Amino acid sequence: MAELSVDLVSRDRKVWSGAATQVTAPSADGQIGIRANHTPLLAVLRPGAIKVDTAAGPAVEAQVTGGFLSVDNNLVTLVVDEISLV
């Protein structure tokens, strides 16, 4: 299965970075799911839960207060205002 490269960062630090099979996040238009080879995308995030299904190991889950998400060439970048890992 193809993988995504994911960077999850807050205003002041890198929270997590690595390979993943899927990312779900709360966009302003509703919950969004990202898998490998997704079309390029830029979305505003609303408060809610982010989940990164890692390629190896447990999923990364967090609550965020907002931010944005970008997708391009299997690279997903989530920049969040405030984050609390679950």
Side-chain angles (χ1 to χ4, degrees), residues 6 9 11 15 18 20 24 31 36-37 42-43 51 56 58 60 62 68 71 74 76 79 82:
V6 179
V9 297
R11 292 183 292 195
V15 177
T24 57
Q31 195 73 6
N37 302 317
L42 182 61
K51 182 177 179 185
V60 175
F68 72 88
V71 180
N74 289 330
V76 179
V79 179
E82 294 181 24

Short mmCIF file of all heavy atoms in Angstrom, two decimals, residues 6 9 11 15 18 20 24 31 36-37 42-43 51 56 58 60 62 68 71 74 76 79 82:
data_model
loop_
_atom_site.label_atom_id
_atom_site.label_comp_id
_atom_site.label_asym_id
_atom_site.label_seq_id
_atom_site.Cartn_x
_atom_site.Cartn_y
_atom_site.Cartn_z
N VAL A 6 3.84 12.53 6.57
CA VAL A 6 3.02 13.45 7.35
C VAL A 6 3.88 14.26 8.30
O VAL A 6 4.75 13.71 8.99
CB VAL A 6 1.94 12.68 8.14
CG1 VAL A 6 1.10 13.64 8.98
CG2 VAL A 6 1.06 11.86 7.21
N VAL A 9 2.56 19.82 13.03
CA VAL A 9 3.27 20.84 13.79
C VAL A 9 2.29 21.81 14.43
O VAL A 9 1.22 22.08 13.90
CB VAL A 9 4.28 21.62 12.91
CG1 VAL A 9 5.36 20.71 12.37
CG2 VAL A 9 3.58 22.33 11.77
N ARG A 11 2.24 25.72 16.69
CA ARG A 11 2.91 27.03 16.54
C ARG A 11 4.35 27.01 17.03
O ARG A 11 5.20 27.72 16.51
CB ARG A 11 2.15 28.10 17.31
CG ARG A 11 0.80 28.39 16.74
CD ARG A 11 0.14 29.50 17.50
NE ARG A 11 -0.20 29.03 18.85
CZ ARG A 11 -1.01 29.65 19.65
NH1 ARG A 11 -1.56 30.78 19.28
NH2 ARG A 11 -1.29 29.17 20.84
N VAL A 15 5.19 18.18 16.36
CA VAL A 15 4.52 17.22 17.23
C VAL A 15 4.81 15.79 16.78
O VAL A 15 5.12 14.93 17.59
CB VAL A 15 3.00 17.48 17.26
CG1 VAL A 15 2.29 16.44 18.11
CG2 VAL A 15 2.72 18.89 17.76
N GLY A 18 6.29 11.41 10.12
CA GLY A 18 6.56 10.04 9.73
C GLY A 18 5.65 9.58 8.60
O GLY A 18 4.93 10.37 7.98
N ALA A 20 2.50 7.38 7.01
CA ALA A 20 1.14 7.04 7.41
C ALA A 20 0.37 6.47 6.22
O ALA A 20 0.74 6.68 5.07
CB ALA A 20 0.42 8.26 7.95
N THR A 24 -7.09 11.68 9.03
CA THR A 24 -8.43 12.28 9.09
C THR A 24 -8.34 13.54 9.93
O THR A 24 -7.61 13.59 10.92
CB THR A 24 -9.48 11.32 9.69
OG1 THR A 24 -9.06 10.91 10.98
CG2 THR A 24 -9.69 10.11 8.80
N GLN A 31 -15.57 16.66 8.05
CA GLN A 31 -14.46 15.72 8.29
C GLN A 31 -13.87 15.28 6.95
O GLN A 31 -14.60 14.97 6.02
CB GLN A 31 -14.98 14.50 9.07
CG GLN A 31 -13.91 13.64 9.66
CD GLN A 31 -13.23 14.27 10.87
OE1 GLN A 31 -13.61 15.32 11.35
NE2 GLN A 31 -12.20 13.62 11.36
N ALA A 36 -3.08 7.99 0.22
CA ALA A 36 -2.04 8.21 -0.79
C ALA A 36 -2.67 8.58 -2.14
O ALA A 36 -3.76 8.12 -2.48
CB ALA A 36 -1.19 6.95 -0.93
N ASN A 37 -1.96 9.43 -2.85
CA ASN A 37 -2.35 9.91 -4.19
C ASN A 37 -3.59 10.78 -4.20
O ASN A 37 -4.26 10.90 -5.22
CB ASN A 37 -2.49 8.73 -5.16
CG ASN A 37 -1.22 7.93 -5.26
OD1 ASN A 37 -0.13 8.48 -5.34
ND2 ASN A 37 -1.35 6.61 -5.19
N LEU A 42 -5.81 22.35 0.02
CA LEU A 42 -5.50 23.25 1.13
C LEU A 42 -6.82 23.48 1.85
O LEU A 42 -7.81 23.88 1.23
CB LEU A 42 -4.93 24.58 0.62
CG LEU A 42 -4.54 25.59 1.68
CD1 LEU A 42 -3.45 25.02 2.59
CD2 LEU A 42 -4.07 26.87 1.04
N ALA A 43 -6.87 23.17 3.16
CA ALA A 43 -8.11 23.27 3.91
C ALA A 43 -7.88 23.94 5.26
O ALA A 43 -6.84 23.72 5.89
CB ALA A 43 -8.72 21.89 4.11
N LYS A 51 -6.60 12.30 13.40
CA LYS A 51 -6.08 10.93 13.57
C LYS A 51 -5.14 10.62 12.41
O LYS A 51 -5.49 10.83 11.25
CB LYS A 51 -7.21 9.91 13.60
CG LYS A 51 -6.72 8.49 13.82
CD LYS A 51 -7.87 7.51 13.92
CE LYS A 51 -7.36 6.09 14.11
NZ LYS A 51 -8.46 5.12 14.09
N ALA A 56 3.54 2.13 10.72
CA ALA A 56 4.03 1.14 11.68
C ALA A 56 3.81 1.69 13.08
O ALA A 56 4.24 2.79 13.39
CB ALA A 56 5.51 0.86 11.45
N PRO A 58 1.24 2.46 16.68
CA PRO A 58 -0.11 2.94 17.00
C PRO A 58 -0.44 4.25 16.28
O PRO A 58 0.44 5.00 15.89
CB PRO A 58 -0.03 3.16 18.52
CG PRO A 58 1.42 3.43 18.79
CD PRO A 58 2.18 2.60 17.79
N VAL A 60 -1.68 8.07 15.80
CA VAL A 60 -1.49 9.32 16.53
C VAL A 60 -2.83 10.04 16.53
O VAL A 60 -3.39 10.31 15.47
CB VAL A 60 -0.40 10.20 15.87
CG1 VAL A 60 -0.29 11.53 16.57
CG2 VAL A 60 0.93 9.47 15.84
N ALA A 62 -5.14 13.32 18.28
CA ALA A 62 -5.01 14.58 19.00
C ALA A 62 -6.26 15.42 18.82
O ALA A 62 -6.99 15.28 17.84
CB ALA A 62 -3.80 15.34 18.48
N PHE A 68 -4.54 24.66 9.66
CA PHE A 68 -4.78 24.32 8.26
C PHE A 68 -4.07 23.04 7.89
O PHE A 68 -3.16 22.57 8.59
CB PHE A 68 -4.38 25.47 7.31
CG PHE A 68 -2.91 25.68 7.17
CD1 PHE A 68 -2.18 24.99 6.20
CD2 PHE A 68 -2.24 26.58 7.98
CE1 PHE A 68 -0.81 25.19 6.07
CE2 PHE A 68 -0.87 26.79 7.84
CZ PHE A 68 -0.16 26.09 6.89
N VAL A 71 -2.09 19.21 1.26
CA VAL A 71 -1.75 17.91 0.67
C VAL A 71 -1.16 18.18 -0.71
O VAL A 71 -1.76 18.92 -1.50
CB VAL A 71 -3.00 17.01 0.50
CG1 VAL A 71 -2.61 15.67 -0.11
CG2 VAL A 71 -3.72 16.82 1.82
N ASN A 74 1.66 13.35 -2.01
CA ASN A 74 1.73 12.41 -0.87
C ASN A 74 2.41 13.00 0.36
O ASN A 74 2.83 12.27 1.25
CB ASN A 74 2.36 11.09 -1.25
CG ASN A 74 1.44 10.27 -2.14
OD1 ASN A 74 0.22 10.37 -2.05
ND2 ASN A 74 2.02 9.47 -3.00
N VAL A 76 1.53 15.38 3.50
CA VAL A 76 0.44 16.02 4.25
C VAL A 76 1.07 16.84 5.36
O VAL A 76 1.84 16.32 6.17
CB VAL A 76 -0.52 14.98 4.85
CG1 VAL A 76 -1.63 15.67 5.63
CG2 VAL A 76 -1.10 14.08 3.76
N VAL A 79 -0.74 22.17 10.20
CA VAL A 79 -0.23 23.21 11.07
C VAL A 79 -1.40 23.63 11.95
O VAL A 79 -2.42 24.11 11.44
CB VAL A 79 0.29 24.42 10.26
CG1 VAL A 79 0.79 25.50 11.19
CG2 VAL A 79 1.40 23.97 9.32
N GLU A 82 -3.41 25.04 18.53
CA GLU A 82 -3.11 24.37 19.81
C GLU A 82 -3.46 22.90 19.66
O GLU A 82 -4.42 22.55 18.97
CB GLU A 82 -3.91 25.00 20.94
CG GLU A 82 -3.51 26.43 21.23
CD GLU A 82 -4.30 27.04 22.38
OE1 GLU A 82 -4.81 26.28 23.22
OE2 GLU A 82 -4.42 28.27 22.41
#
